[in-house]
C-alpha cells in the first residue's frame, strides 16, 4: 500500500546527483529500495488500479523505469538515473503509443501525458485527425489550457505545418508533444492519498489523450 514518498526520498535523489558512482550506490542500495523503488512501484500499481476503475474500456499497462542507465549511452554521465518514472498506456496500443506518465526527481515531480517518441508518420496522423475535426480538437485543448496547470513541450518545426489558430497551433506545429504539470517536492506527494490525486490529474487529460491515441492508432492502421 502506498503511504507516500518521504523527505528521505528527496534527500536520496539529491545525494545521488552528486555521488553518481557505483561504490556510493552499492552502499545506499537498501535506502534506494526502501525510499524510492518500493513506493514508486506501489504508486504505479495503485494508480493503474484506479485508472482501470475509472476508464474500464482500456486495459492499462504500466511500465516502471529502472535506476540503471544504459551503459552504451552514458555520454559522460553517471551510471544511475537521477529521476525515475512510470508510464501508463492501454495494453492493446503497444509500447510506442502516447502515454500518461509520472516522474520524480530531487526537486519535485512532473506528470501528464506525452508522445515523446512520436515519429513523423505519427504526427502526420495527428494533424490529419485535427484537420478532420478542428473545432472538436480546439474545444478539448482549450478546456485543458484554461486550467492554467499544464505547459506544452515539444520541438517546433522550423517551417510550420499550417496556421490553425493560436490554440491549435500550440500542438499542430510540433515534432512531438508533451503536456506537463510540475510541482516542487512535498505536499501531496508525501501523502497516502496521492494515487487518487494523480489519477484525477490524468482524468482531466483523458479527452486530449484519447484524441491523440485515436490518431496514433488510425495512423498505424493506414
Amino acid at each position: 500500500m502506498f503511504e507516500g514518498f518521504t523527505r528521505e526520498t528527496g534527500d536520496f535523489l539529491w545525494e545521488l546527483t552528486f555521488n553518481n558512482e557505483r561504490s556510493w550506490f552499492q552502499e545506499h542500495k537498501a535506502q534506494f529500495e526502501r525510499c524510492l523503488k518500493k513506493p514508486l512501484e506501489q504508486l504505479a500499481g495503485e494508480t493503474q488500479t484506479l485508472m482501470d476503475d475509472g476508464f474500464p474500456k482500456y486495459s492499462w499497462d504500466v511500465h516502471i523505469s529502472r535506476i540503471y542507465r544504459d551503459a552504451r549511452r552514458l555520454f559522460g554521465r553517471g551510471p544511475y538515473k537521477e529521476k525515475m518514472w512510470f508510464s501508463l498506456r492501454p495494453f492493446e496500443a503497444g509500447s510506442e503509443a502516447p502515454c500518461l506518465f509520472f516522474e520524480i526527481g530531487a526537486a519535485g515531480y512532473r506528470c501528464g501525458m506525452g508522445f515523446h517518441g512520436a515519429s513523423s508518420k505519427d504526427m502526420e496522423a495527428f494533424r490529419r485527425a485535427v484537420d478532420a475535426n478542428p473545432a472538436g480538437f480546439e474545444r478539448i485543448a482549450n478546456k485543458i489550457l484554461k486550467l492554467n496547470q499544464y505547459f506544452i513541450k515539444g520541438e517546433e518545426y522550423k517551417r510550420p505545418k499550417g496556421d490553425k489558430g493560436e490554440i491549435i497551433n500550440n500542438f499542430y506545429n510540433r515534432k512531438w508533444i508533451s503536456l506537463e504539470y510540475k510541482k516542487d517536492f512535498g505536499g501531496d506527494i508525501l501523502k497516502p492519498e496521492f494515487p487518487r490525486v494523480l489519477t484525477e490529474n490524468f482524468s482531466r487529460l483523458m479527452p486530449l489523450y484519447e484524441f491523440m491515441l485515436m490518431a496514433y492508432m488510425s495512423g498505424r492502421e493506414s
Side-chain angles (χ1 to χ4, degrees), residues 183-217:
K183 197 166 185 180
D184 293 341
F185 203 99
D188 290 336
I189 202 173
L190 306 179
K191 299 176 182 178
E193 298 81 14
F194 187 64
R196 191 165 298 279
V197 172
L198 184 58
T199 302
E200 290 172 356
N201 191 303
F202 288 159
S203 297
R204 287 192 289 271
L205 295 172
M206 278 301 291
L208 180 59
Y209 178 76
E210 290 185 303
F211 187 99
M212 294 192 67
L213 181 65
M214 175 273 296
Y216 167 81
M217 296 294 284

Side-chain angles (χ1 to χ4, degrees), residues 87-184:
S87 62
L88 286 166
R89 296 178 175 88
F91 182 81
E92 61 273 16
S95 61
E96 296 181 351
C99 71
L100 301 168
F101 70 89
F102 167 85
E103 180 185 78
I104 184 170
Y109 73 88
R110 65 188 183 113
C111 62
M113 58 148 290
F115 200 4
H116 306 90
S119 68
S120 58
K121 180 180 178 181
D122 293 330
M123 295 309 295
E124 287 173 7
F126 166 69
R127 289 190 293 273
R128 285 197 301 271
V130 173
D131 291 342
N133 186 11
F137 179 78
E138 184 168 351
R139 283 194 298 273
I140 292 171
N142 191 43
K143 186 175 181 179
I144 293 172
L145 295 178
K146 284 175 68 176
L147 296 172
N148 291 319
Q149 294 178 326
Y150 303 92
F151 65 94
I152 306 171
K153 291 181 65 177
E155 181 182 358
E156 296 186 44
Y157 290 103
K158 292 181 180 178
R159 295 183 178 179
K161 297 294 182 178
D163 184 0
K164 304 293 178 177
E166 182 179 359
I167 293 173
I168 295 179
N169 286 349
N170 282 321
F171 300 86
Y172 197 87
N173 289 308
R174 297 183 187 271
K175 296 181 180 180
W176 55 272
I177 295 173
S178 180
L179 201 64
E180 301 179 3
Y181 171 86
K182 280 188 173 183
K183 197 166 185 180
D184 293 341

